[in-house]
Amino acid sequence: MQDNKWGSRIIYQIYPRSFKDSNSDGIGDLQGIRNKLDYLKDLGIDAIWLSPIYPSPMHDFGYDISDYKNVDPIFGNLKDFDELIAKAHSINIKILMDFVPNHTSFEHPWFKESRSSKKNPKRDWYIWRGSDKKEKAPNNWLSQFGGSAWELDRTTEEYYLHTFDVSQPDLNWRNLQVVEEMLNTMRFWLERGVDGFRVDVAYILYKDPFFRDEPSNSNYLPEHHMIYDSLLHVYTTALPETIEMLKKFNEVINEFDDRFMVCEIYTFTHEIVNLYKIVDHYSFAPFNFSFISIPWNAFEQKKFLDEFDGLVGDKYFPTYVLGNHDQPRIATRLGDKAARSAALLQLTLRGTPFIYYGEELGMKNVDVPDEKVLDPIALNMKDFNFGRDPERGPMQWDKKEFAGFSDSEPWLPLEKDYTDKNVSSEKNDPKSFLNLYKKLIYLRKNLKALNSGKYIPLDLKNKNVFGFIREYDDQRVLILVNFSGEEQTAKLPKGNWRKILSTQMDTFEGIDKDQIIFMPSEGFILTN
Ligand code: NOJ
Ligand code: CA
């Protein structure tokens, strides 16, 4: 039985540039977020994760930090931040920050010092290597943003490591001063009242001390995968030292009351489960991206979800993610109807759901014409048709020009359907995405079985339908989803079931004896 606070909190991710602009420069900011807290309260979420708001030259839109202890003027200042926390806390909303420990910006004063000379005291704060042949990188390691992970720096004729953009040099976590400084950065924000962190690329902090070449990946297909996937990252990912450091981060979190950290780790079932066991505390969870990586069909989803919930067990809580600022939006990937059912699953499964801003409106990817592309991945790998701008479009508040996001042209284009899909229109439409989300959140909060009940797998004997039961004392809630685009019928498990919600938000027909009929992609919640 789950008695864990973070295990039942609903977390909402805000990409600050795109949520709400308060000063008409076309870029979202802290004041804008503060002005919209009442909307989030009304939606029913419990915590916000803010993507980075620190000073940054914005080559990777804030994931390239030049000062860990301040706020970028584009978003406001520390006073605005304190006010945001105070107002959020006054209405019982927690705030998580993004913590980006693997790399800084190349404009961070530490890196400026580090690159200035081999003798500089900060030289060892980053990963520098010479090479036998100067024009050849020290080894075969690759950047996730394309090309070699090494950049030759002419000042000292050595290479520095950058697992992401050249503007994002990797910190050297083997240097104890770096460790101390970064742990103190966490404390700086926790003392200011922040409720915890989402830890960026938490699995790659430490790299092989011998800098061995990584082996090639025999499953790599150049048409489908990024060049980074051509190697197996055995010397740069999930080193034992990295996992030890996650434990240290968690100890810092636990110096404070009721704080939490969630780690960005793209990995598989058993490894996720193992991480819970190693870090072993209620204030920690690794992200689970299964709804992004596993095909949208009943068989595959059932196979994963039944096993995963069981392996995570009662002591810990899974997390469920439908999208984020690095992934195409769920309504674009699956279409509206299936995206509604995905929301139903996410909000009825046991564990912590992460809602990416706009998902609650059914927001789609925006079309970004070539001349407006900003994402460094897209710019670095022009031939590879991939960029993250489309999922980062401005939040759709109303149908006015600029969607109520700003009074001037937003930094990224608006989604073309914004005049229909926006907060103001959806509020008044009883069948809208927004009202579906509100209803789901309401049920999750008010049905003990949904917020704390155990998960019971079911076999429904229809390969297109997946379902499970959540149970708490004598309350039982049955969740059913039709994964196909056709009508389906399924036999109900034994019980006296009553429908309480359909993803289509229709008036319900009765249940025909022990059978239930689904419209294409429809999902249901029933109770006893
Ligand atoms: C993962 C973040 O989610 C992504 O947006 C960023 O580009 C990389 N980490 C580098 O920080
Ligand atoms: Ca602004």
Side-chain angles (χ1 to χ4, degrees):
M1 231 50 42
Q2 195 170 290
D3 60 348
N4 185 289
K5 290 189 198 147
W6 284 100
S8 55
R9 284 181 178 141
I10 299 171
I11 303 182
Y12 185 94
Q13 181 191 355
I14 291 182
Y15 196 68
R17 295 178 73 85
S18 297
F19 196 60
K20 173 71 188 164
D21 175 21
S22 73
N23 63 349
S24 311
D25 62 357
I27 301 178
D29 45 55
L30 295 181
Q31 191 68 48
I33 298 171
R34 198 177 99 125
N35 295 342
K36 292 296 186 186
L37 285 174
D38 293 339
Y39 163 75
L40 296 174
K41 188 70 204 168
D42 185 48
L43 178 61
I45 58 110
D46 305 293
I48 295 168
W49 147 32
L50 287 179
S51 278
I53 54 158
Y54 313 94
S56 162
M58 303 283 169
H59 291 283
D60 191 20
F61 299 103
Y63 285 94
D64 48 329
I65 296 169
S66 54
D67 179 357
Y68 282 101
K69 296 187 178 160
N70 214 330
V71 170
D72 193 282
I74 205 110
F75 298 125
N77 54 36
L78 281 170
K79 188 165 162 279
D80 296 320
F81 186 75
D82 292 341
E83 283 172 13
L84 172 65
I85 300 255
K87 168 130 192 247
H89 285 174
S90 76
I91 56 171
N92 241 326
I93 290 182
K94 311 238 171 242
I95 304 262
L96 306 177
M97 292 185 92
D98 218 304
F99 182 53
V100 186
N102 178 69
H103 44 271
T104 69
S105 160
F106 61 179
E107 287 189 19
H108 196 295
W110 302 339
F111 187 71
K112 286 188 177 163
E113 281 197 47
S114 186
R115 86 188 321 180
S116 67
S117 104
K118 289 188 187 168
K119 296 218 172 70
N120 187 281
K122 294 235 161 40
R123 183 67 170 182
D124 185 50
W125 281 40
Y126 293 83
I127 302 175
W128 291 98
R129 298 285 285 168
S131 175
D132 311 343
K133 290 196 206 92
K134 217 174 25 198
E135 297 314 322
K136 197 168 171 285
N139 66 19
N140 74 346
W141 293 358
L142 293 172
S143 156
Q144 294 196 24
F145 285 9
S148 167
W150 296 99
E151 177 76 2
L152 179 61
D153 193 49
R154 291 290 171 192
T155 324
T156 54
E157 297 291 344
E158 278 192 337
Y159 287 82
Y160 67 84
L161 183 74
H162 60 91
T163 306
F164 297 89
D165 193 52
V166 274
S167 64
Q168 293 164 298
D170 285 31
L171 281 164
N172 176 15
W173 278 81
R174 297 188 188 276
N175 179 304
L176 297 180
Q177 288 172 324
V178 168
V179 175
E180 196 188 323
E181 184 66 38
M182 294 302 278
L183 297 184
N184 283 335
T185 300
M186 293 176 77
R187 292 188 184 99
F188 171 87
W189 293 106
L190 292 165
E191 275 157 13
R192 248 191 146 87
V194 161
D195 300 288
F197 301 98
R198 171 267 189 186
V199 183
D200 189 65
V201 292
Y203 228 23
I204 61 162
L205 294 184
Y206 284 79
K207 281 92 191 174
D208 179 39
F210 307 109
F211 296 93
R212 282 169 283 191
D213 275 350
E214 292 192 313
S216 49
N217 174 8
S218 55
N219 295 324
Y220 168 67
L221 298 170
E223 327 74 87
H224 292 303
H225 301 131
M226 297 206 213
I227 182 80
Y228 180 74
D229 298 325
S230 65
L231 298 180
L232 296 173
H233 304 290
V234 294
Y235 293 127
T236 51
T237 302
L239 265 52
E241 299 91 313
T242 296
I243 295 169
E244 277 309 300
M245 190 49 64
L246 297 184
K247 277 168 82 171
K248 273 231 169 85
F249 289 177
N250 195 240
E251 283 165 20
V252 173
I253 291 284
N254 292 336
E255 289 168 15
F256 300 79
D257 185 38
D258 194 18
R259 311 295 164 104
F260 178 62
M261 67 187 250
V262 56
C263 290
E264 188 201 21
I265 292 171
Y266 281 84
T267 187
F268 305 104
T269 319
H270 285 90
E271 233 171 286
I272 297 178
V273 172
N274 206 25
L275 280 164
Y276 284 104
K277 309 233 153 100
I278 295 171
V279 181
D280 197 4
H281 200 281
Y282 276 7
S283 55
F284 160 83
F287 272 127
N288 153 41
F289 296 113
S290 62
F291 280 132
I292 293 168
S293 58
I294 295 179
W296 189 251
N297 68 58
F299 176 79
E300 298 279 354
Q301 293 292 336
K302 174 176 172 50
K303 196 166 112 200
F304 174 80
L305 291 166
D306 288 354
E307 183 190 18
F308 187 58
D309 188 87
L311 286 170
V312 171
D314 286 354
K315 203 167 152 210
Y316 307 105
F317 48 93
T319 66
Y320 290 101
V321 178
L322 301 181
N324 61 36
H325 61 295
D326 297 329
Q327 304 293 340
R329 284 188 175 272
I330 184 89
T332 301
R333 281 192 283 129
L334 303 183
D336 283 357
K337 284 187 183 148
R340 285 171 170 261
S341 285
L344 177 137
L345 289 178
Q346 187 195 28
L347 289 161
T348 55
L349 281 158
R350 197 176 69 84
T352 310
F354 285 78
I355 299 172
Y356 182 50
Y357 81 96
E359 266 169 13
E360 77 278 21
L361 305 176
M363 248 174 87
K364 294 219 158 84
N365 278 8
V366 298
D367 291 329
V368 182
D370 286 354
E371 67 282 7
K372 295 225 163 129
V373 169
L374 296 171
D375 177 20
I377 294 194
L379 296 174
N380 290 355
M381 294 187 273
K382 287 223 170 76
D383 303 339
F384 195 77
N385 189 15
F386 179 90
R388 300 168 298 173
D389 298 316
E391 56 260 27
R392 299 175 176 178
M395 176 71 172
Q396 296 159 196
W397 294 102
D398 59 39
K399 61 176 179 207
K400 293 203 284 280
E401 199 189 9
F402 310 132
F405 163 75
S406 175
D407 297 335
S408 56
E409 168 122 18
W411 73 289
L412 277 176
L414 287 159
E415 205 258 307
K416 54 184 181 324
D417 289 344
Y418 83 85
T419 46
D420 294 329
K421 280 192 176 164
N422 61 65
V423 173
S424 150
S425 327
E426 291 197 27
K427 255 192 192 157
N428 302 321
D429 170 4
K431 294 185 180 179
S432 67
F433 257 95
L434 183 58
N435 281 317
L436 171 67
Y437 265 83
K438 279 197 193 167
K439 187 77 197 286
L440 286 168
I441 293 173
Y442 175 85
L443 290 173
R444 185 186 154 94
K445 297 217 149 140
N446 289 284
L447 293 175
K448 210 58 189 144
L450 284 188
N451 64 53
S452 335
K454 66 175 186 240
Y455 173 98
I456 304 174
L458 281 182
D459 188 359
L460 289 160
K461 309 249 182 311
N462 175 333
K463 68 177 175 26
N464 291 305
V465 177
F466 162 67
F468 56 91
I469 290 178
R470 299 283 311 276
E471 183 182 80
Y472 189 93
D473 292 342
D474 54 5
Q475 185 179 72
R476 298 175 93 209
V477 176
L478 171 61
I479 290 96
L480 299 170
V481 168
N482 170 11
F483 277 73
S484 78
E486 285 95 49
E487 279 188 25
Q488 296 290 335
T489 306
K491 200 166 164 327
L492 289 170
K494 274 210 179 63
N496 200 6
W497 300 107
R498 179 167 65 83
K499 276 192 219 166
I500 52 174
L501 179 133
S502 146
T503 49
Q504 317 221 345
M505 306 287 274
D506 281 336
T507 43
F508 305 127
E509 291 156 32
I511 298 166
D512 179 21
K513 293 190 201 114
D514 54 355
Q515 302 257 5
I516 186 162
I517 300 165
F518 301 79
M519 292 293 114
S521 303
E522 188 173 24
F524 292 119
I525 301 182
L526 299 91
T527 187
N528 61 352

